[in-house]
Amino acid sequence: MKDSAVSSSKWLDAHYDPVANLYTFSSCIALADLHGDGENKLVVGDLGTGASNMKLKVYRGTGLLSENTLLDLPTGLVSFLMDQHEPCTPAIAVASGPFIYIYKNLRPYFKFTLPTLEVNPLEQDVWSQAREDMIDPMTLKEMLEGIRFLMLEPQDMEAYVNLHKQQPIRRQTVITCIGTLKKNMADDDAVSCLVIGTESQEVYILDPEAFTILAKVSISLLFLLITLTLYQTIFRFDLIDSPRPKYCIELSSHPVGLVRMGKNVVVGCAQETLHGYTQKGKKLWTTYLPAPVTTMAVLDLPTRGFQAVLVGLANCEVHVYRDKNLISTIKTPDLVTSICFGRYGREDGTLIMTTKGGGLIVKILKRTAVFDDKDSAPGPPIAQSIRLNVPKKTKLYVDQTMRERENAVAMHRAFQMDLSRMRLAAARAYVKALESSLTPMSASLTEPLKMNAVVQGLGPSFKLTLNIQNTAACRPVMNLAISFLYDENLYSMRTAFFKIPLLVPGLNYPIDTFVECLSDKGISDIIKVFVLREGKSAPLLTAHINMPVSEGLALN
């Protein structure tokens, strides 16, 4: 069973190192051809222990190629082209705190610092007075507490003020996310601008050569960022000239992942849900997940024209979704914290994952792998989620609706009256059938019988077989008779009356007779069968046999 599961899998297990000591997220991992030799390298911003040992690591194949020490925790990492000079090798931008570190040819190249924010005028005035010894430390604390800027114990106040009062006041923000934006062409080898989201609710677009700020806009607090179009076209005007967002998507819970699929956006939320939206904010679909989302990425295969969403879950699984359909499931030995799919080395379909325990997993998509469009998750069929083409409301429909609203009480009373009449008619017919023994099963407790009839033949001669059974547990039935009633101008029977001296419980008693059709006009009629008991006028059972049309002529 294990061998068959491996052979039917869509992925090849290329490499697994459970002690690679890689602690990172999807925003700090990228694939790039750093040397222009056609082989993509794996670039990882390693978080280390969280307080030390933060490094920028580069992998080639399964081995570590180089590493650089980072001064602070990385919050994002991207590869981008700064210029078109040959050879066209991309640079690496690492966001860390308020800085962006640019690496070119795996060496430090440039350091960009976010501009400082405007300082509170009251705080600046208070510190100026403290610098000139116009107020004591306790007065300074009282004035800063009013604007909630200083929360220290009294015994620590004097040392803190003496240490910082001579230093200039600065207010610095930090980077929460980073992305790239093609500058003037949408080609893969085009120059890209850096797009930065900060904790101060601002987005900056940086020039890729001089690293100057090309544009700036204030929006809501950013933790996730995707870029959609070219800077020098629509994006510039939408970004600068719109004081408010043009479209806004309201989510039911906090987003934990965000990816772009063509012209749509897929959002993973904290309530174990995955939502699909258009760029204008229209909700397309929602699917429910078996576990919380840990990370998300895009599975893009341009050679096959195939795109899907990779969703890492807290139950040690990675689900592959195309729209809302689950098309593949990958089980992992540990919880996945980052996912990256793309060209690694010279292999296009490579899936790279890091785990919570610091492991590195590399899988390669088989060239023969085929993803079915049908949903492999249990639940209702896909057709249930397809919207019906509901026609527009006609004037007749509107008039009928208004009539139903105005006469709702009278219509309901009429419906209840008709329903009661129908139930009464059905009950009367049932009682009449019981009293006349018109049913194929006897209602008598002393003679519980059951009968069915079988007609064989094409005509004009038919064989009629009656199967009679005593359904009592242990009581036999005696002295029964069977009689036939039919149109003598249309049919003739060899034997139209039978006597049954004894019916043993549980046994089936077949009774055969032959019926001759006398008409050549292609007509048929009903033959009635009565099961009688000596001394009783009402039959125990009654059956109506619909005779078939004779396909031959009666023989004289």
Side-chain angles (χ1 to χ4, degrees):
M1 291 177 63
K2 184 177 180 181
D3 295 339
S4 63
V6 171
S7 62
S8 63
S9 174
K10 300 177 177 64
W11 303 90
L12 296 173
D13 296 327
H15 177 66
Y16 174 49
D17 184 4
V19 292
N21 291 326
L22 278 180
Y23 303 95
T24 187
F25 300 106
S26 296
S27 59
C28 298
I29 187 169
L31 294 168
D33 184 8
L34 300 178
H35 300 97
D37 55 358
E39 289 192 7
N40 280 17
K41 313 299 187 298
L42 174 65
V43 187
V44 181
D46 189 6
L47 278 67
T49 63
S52 61
N53 204 27
M54 290 81 71
K55 293 183 179 181
L56 177 66
K57 297 182 178 181
V58 179
Y59 283 83
R60 179 173 60 188
T62 59
L64 183 63
L65 181 63
S66 68
E67 62 180 15
N68 291 273
T69 302
L70 298 176
L71 300 179
D72 201 353
L73 284 173
T75 56
L77 181 150
V78 293
S79 65
F80 69 106
L81 282 176
M82 299 170 50
D83 49 49
Q84 294 289 343
H85 302 318
E86 294 292 339
C88 289
T89 56
I92 300 297
V94 182
S96 180
F99 309 109
I100 296 180
Y101 301 97
I102 310 297
Y103 292 85
K104 186 79 170 176
N105 297 323
L106 299 181
R107 295 181 180 180
Y109 178 79
F110 187 80
K111 175 184 175 183
F112 172 81
T113 305
L114 287 176
T116 57
L117 303 177
E118 184 180 355
V119 181
N120 189 298
L122 179 59
E123 183 189 10
Q124 192 166 9
D125 182 59
V126 169
W127 279 104
S128 298
Q129 295 180 35
R131 190 179 301 115
E132 297 174 2
D133 296 328
M134 298 174 61
I135 56 176
D136 59 0
M138 293 307 299
T139 306
L140 174 67
K141 176 178 172 60
E142 292 176 0
M143 298 178 69
L144 291 179
E145 280 181 348
I147 56 176
R148 299 181 181 272
F149 269 100
L150 194 61
M151 308 291 286
L152 290 176
E153 297 297 330
Q155 62 269 20
D156 301 330
M157 275 297 307
E158 185 172 357
Y160 181 84
V161 172
N162 293 332
L163 179 63
H164 294 91
K165 67 180 182 180
Q166 300 299 332
Q167 298 178 4
I169 301 176
R170 292 191 309 168
R171 183 178 165 215
Q172 187 69 60
T173 185
V174 295
I175 300 171
T176 57
C177 49
I178 186 172
T180 59
L181 188 68
K182 298 296 183 182
K183 187 175 182 180
N184 46 26
M185 291 188 299
D187 300 338
D188 293 337
D189 57 350
V191 175
S192 300
C193 300
L194 290 179
V195 184
I196 306 165
T198 68
E199 197 175 37
S200 58
Q201 307 178 13
E202 292 177 329
V203 175
Y204 296 92
I205 296 183
L206 305 184
D207 183 80
E209 294 181 338
F211 295 101
T212 56
I213 298 175
L214 298 176
K216 169 187 171 183
V217 68
S218 297
I219 59 174
S220 299
L221 185 64
L222 281 176
F223 288 102
L224 305 166
L225 181 99
I226 56 173
T227 51
L228 301 178
T229 181
L230 303 180
Y231 168 70
Q232 289 188 348
T233 55
I234 306 170
F235 192 80
R236 168 182 291 182
F237 304 106
D238 286 349
L239 183 64
I240 301 174
D241 298 337
S242 300
R244 295 174 60 85
K246 190 173 182 181
Y247 303 108
C248 181
I249 300 174
E250 193 169 324
L251 301 174
S252 58
S253 59
H254 293 290
V256 294
L258 179 70
V259 296
R260 180 167 60 94
M261 285 276 296
K263 294 184 178 181
N264 299 331
V265 178
V266 180
V267 185
C269 293
Q271 289 183 341
E272 302 179 10
T273 54
L274 199 66
H275 306 280
Y277 296 91
T278 65
Q279 291 183 14
K280 295 183 179 181
K282 181 182 179 181
K283 190 173 183 178
L284 298 175
W285 50 264
T286 297
T287 187
Y288 295 91
L289 306 173
V293 178
T294 57
T295 184
M296 291 176 62
V298 175
L299 188 155
D300 189 9
L301 283 173
T303 55
R304 301 190 191 181
F306 179 81
Q307 270 193 333
V309 178
L310 295 161
V311 183
L313 302 177
N315 60 350
C316 298
E317 290 182 351
V318 176
H319 287 190
V320 183
Y321 287 91
R322 189 172 189 183
D323 294 331
K324 66 177 296 185
N325 300 325
L326 175 63
I327 58 176
S328 180
T329 301
I330 304 170
K331 295 188 179 296
T332 57
D334 196 2
L335 189 146
V336 173
T337 57
S338 70
I339 302 176
C340 183
F341 182 88
R343 181 181 176 87
Y344 185 39
R346 297 185 182 275
E347 192 65 43
D348 289 330
T350 305
L351 176 63
I352 299 173
M353 299 174 284
T354 63
T355 64
K356 185 179 180 180
L360 175 64
I361 304 173
V362 180
K363 292 181 179 289
I364 299 175
L365 183 65
K366 292 181 180 179
R367 291 180 173 85
T368 58
V370 177
F371 293 99
D372 297 329
D373 288 336
K374 63 180 182 180
D375 193 359
S376 61
I382 302 176
Q384 185 171 323
S385 60
I386 299 176
R387 287 189 176 181
L388 298 176
N389 187 16
V390 181
K392 294 182 178 180
K393 297 179 181 179
T394 61
K395 186 177 183 303
L396 178 62
Y397 173 81
V398 174
D399 294 343
Q400 185 72 9
T401 304
M402 294 299 297
R403 188 185 71 85
E404 291 178 359
R405 288 180 181 177
E406 294 172 356
N407 306 299
V409 176
M411 293 178 67
H412 179 70
R413 289 176 179 172
F415 169 76
Q416 292 294 333
M417 181 64 70
D418 293 341
L419 182 61
S420 300
R421 288 175 178 172
M422 183 179 68
R423 290 174 176 172
L424 179 60
R428 286 176 175 172
Y430 180 67
V431 171
K432 182 179 179 181
L434 292 179
E435 292 177 349
S436 304
S437 300
L438 296 178
T439 58
M441 294 187 68
S442 175
S444 174
L445 297 177
T446 56
E447 293 94 1
L449 304 176
K450 182 175 70 172
M451 179 178 62
N452 62 71
V454 178
V455 179
Q456 296 174 313
L458 299 177
S461 295
F462 298 97
K463 181 180 180 181
L464 179 60
T465 304
L466 298 178
N467 295 302
I468 301 178
Q469 185 178 1
N470 180 8
T471 59
C474 57
R475 179 185 298 174
V477 179
M478 296 180 292
N479 299 323
L480 298 181
I482 297 177
S483 175
F484 296 88
L485 180 63
Y486 56 91
D487 186 357
E488 296 182 354
N489 296 324
L490 187 59
Y491 296 108
S492 67
M493 298 184 68
R494 296 183 184 178
T495 307
F497 185 82
F498 295 90
K499 280 190 175 183
I500 303 176
L502 178 67
L503 284 180
V504 178
L507 296 181
N508 183 39
Y509 289 83
I511 298 174
D512 299 330
T513 186
F514 290 90
V515 180
E516 196 79 22
C517 183
L518 305 178
S519 174
D520 58 354
K521 297 180 181 180
I523 58 177
S524 63
D525 198 4
I526 295 175
I527 296 179
K528 297 180 181 180
V529 183
F530 302 99
V531 178
L532 308 171
R533 177 70 181 271
E534 290 184 2
K536 288 187 178 182
S537 60
L540 298 178
L541 285 179
T542 303
H544 291 190
I545 302 173
N546 291 313
M547 296 297 294
V549 176
S550 176
E551 297 184 8
L553 297 177
L555 298 177
N556 295 325

